[in-house]
Amino acid sequence: MSLISKLRCVTVDVTGTLLAYKGELGDYYCMAAKSVGLPCPDYKRVHEGFKLAYTEMSNKYPCFGHAAKMPNIVWWKTCVKDSFQRAGYEYDEETFEKIFRRIYSTFGSSAPYVIFPDAIPFLRSVRAKGITVGLVSNAEYRYQDVILPALGLHQRSEWDFGVFSGLEGVEKPNPRIYEIALERAGNVAPEDALHIGDSFRKDYLPAKSLGMHAVLLDRFKIPDAETWRKDGVPVYPDLASVQKLLDSGNLTR
C-alpha cells in the first residue's frame, strides 16, 4: 500500500533539514569583538570553547533552561561567557555585555542562516495534499517567533504547528517530543505520520520507536550516511528527492 495515501502528518526537523548555518561560529564572534574595537578571537579556540560550554549548559539546564525557568537571554549569556573563557578570553563586564548583545541579536535574526532552496516548495507541496506539517526541533523560542518567519517559513503558510524544545521542556532524542507533535497534529496515529530529519540518533530512531515512518537526509554527504544505508535506513540527498517520491506515490511502507 502506498504510504502517501495514508499520511495525515509530516514532521520535519529544522537545522540541517530546512536550513543551515552560514559561515563559521568564529565569523560572528569576530564581528562582535570588532564592533567594540577588539581583535578577532581565535576561531578554533572559540569553536572548541563553545562546544564545551554548550554541552555543559545543555546538561545542567536542558531545553535552554526551561525547567529552571531561566530566561533565554540568561542561558545564552552564561554559555557565551563560558565559551570565551574556555578559549582563553576574559573581558570586563561592560565590554562583554556589548559583545554578547551583538552575538545574541545576530543569532536571533535570519543573518547566520540560509534556507535550502527546496524547503519552501516541499512544505507547500505537502500541505497542498491536505497533509498537516509540523516542525520538530531542539531550538529556542526565537526560531518560531523570529528566525523562521524572517527566512520565509511562516506558520499556516509553510507549516501548521511547531514543537520546539525550548518551549516544550523536552528535546530530541526523547520520543516524547514526537508524541507531542502527533497530539498537536490532531492525535494522528504514528503509522499515519512521517518524520524527516538529518540525525540517526535524534530523528530516525525516536520517531521509529513510536511506530512513525522516518527518512533521513544527507545534504552534506557525511560518512555516517553510508552506514545508515547499509542498516536499511532510507536516506535521500535532499527534500526535492523526497517530494518526487511523495508525488509519485512510491514512498511505500
Side-chain angles (χ1 to χ4, degrees):
M1 180 180 183
S2 170
L3 173 58
I4 190 62
S5 65
K6 288 186 83 258
L7 276 185
R8 292 181 55 207
C9 174
V10 171
T11 57
V12 188
D13 168 56
V14 177
T15 307
T17 303
L18 298 177
L19 57 86
Y21 289 106
K22 285 193 293 193
E24 300 179 39
L25 181 79
D27 293 327
Y28 304 100
Y29 279 54
C30 178
M31 287 189 290
K34 279 187 169 182
S35 72
V36 296
L38 294 172
C40 285
D42 181 89
Y43 274 43
K44 185 176 180 181
R45 282 160 51 196
V46 166
H47 184 70
E48 290 303 314
F50 175 79
K51 285 197 297 184
L52 293 170
Y54 185 88
T55 299
E56 182 170 305
M57 284 297 291
S58 296
N59 289 334
K60 266 189 184 179
Y61 306 103
C63 302
F64 306 95
H66 184 278
K69 294 182 170 51
M70 179 182 290
N72 187 70
I73 193 169
V74 173
W75 195 97
W76 278 114
K77 191 172 186 177
T78 306
C79 184
V80 171
K81 189 167 193 174
D82 191 27
S83 300
F84 277 120
Q85 289 175 340
R86 289 173 184 269
Y89 297 94
E90 291 279 355
Y91 302 116
D92 62 73
E93 284 301 317
E94 183 180 353
T95 300
F96 173 72
E97 185 67 29
K98 291 177 182 176
I99 292 173
F100 169 71
R101 289 285 174 176
R102 173 70 179 258
I103 292 170
Y104 187 73
S105 63
T106 298
F107 281 95
S109 73
S110 62
Y113 310 96
V114 59
I115 187 169
F116 292 112
D118 58 4
I120 289 177
F122 175 79
L123 296 175
R124 289 181 177 174
S125 172
V126 172
R127 292 187 80 247
K129 293 177 172 66
I131 298 170
T132 300
V133 172
L135 305 184
V136 180
S137 177
N138 285 353
E140 38 125 327
Y141 79 92
R142 291 184 298 171
Y143 258 50
Q144 174 176 267
D145 296 347
V146 182
I147 296 166
L148 295 178
L151 290 166
L153 293 166
H154 301 281
Q155 191 170 4
R156 291 178 292 279
S157 174
E158 283 70 44
W159 49 283
D160 296 290
F161 68 90
V163 185
F164 298 91
S165 63
L167 293 171
E168 306 296 339
V170 61
E171 61 189 8
K172 300 186 286 186
N174 188 336
R176 175 59 189 150
I177 199 168
Y178 294 96
E179 290 178 338
I180 294 171
L182 293 173
E183 292 165 6
R184 206 151 290 170
N187 293 315
V188 170
E191 61 268 23
D192 296 336
L194 167 70
H195 180 66
I196 305 167
D198 69 329
S199 170
F200 182 72
R201 185 177 71 88
K202 294 180 180 180
D203 291 300
Y204 186 80
L205 286 180
K208 290 292 286 184
S209 75
L210 292 180
M212 296 173 69
H213 302 274
V215 300
L216 289 178
L217 296 191
D218 176 31
R219 289 192 182 274
F220 304 106
K221 295 181 170 55
I222 63 172
D224 285 346
E226 281 309 307
T227 303
W228 301 342
R229 291 187 182 94
K230 288 176 183 175
D231 289 341
V233 177
V235 181
Y236 299 96
D238 48 40
L239 287 171
S241 302
V242 179
Q243 184 174 330
K244 285 178 184 176
L245 290 167
L246 288 174
D247 288 342
S248 68
N250 290 330
L251 190 60
T252 56
R253 289 180 63 89

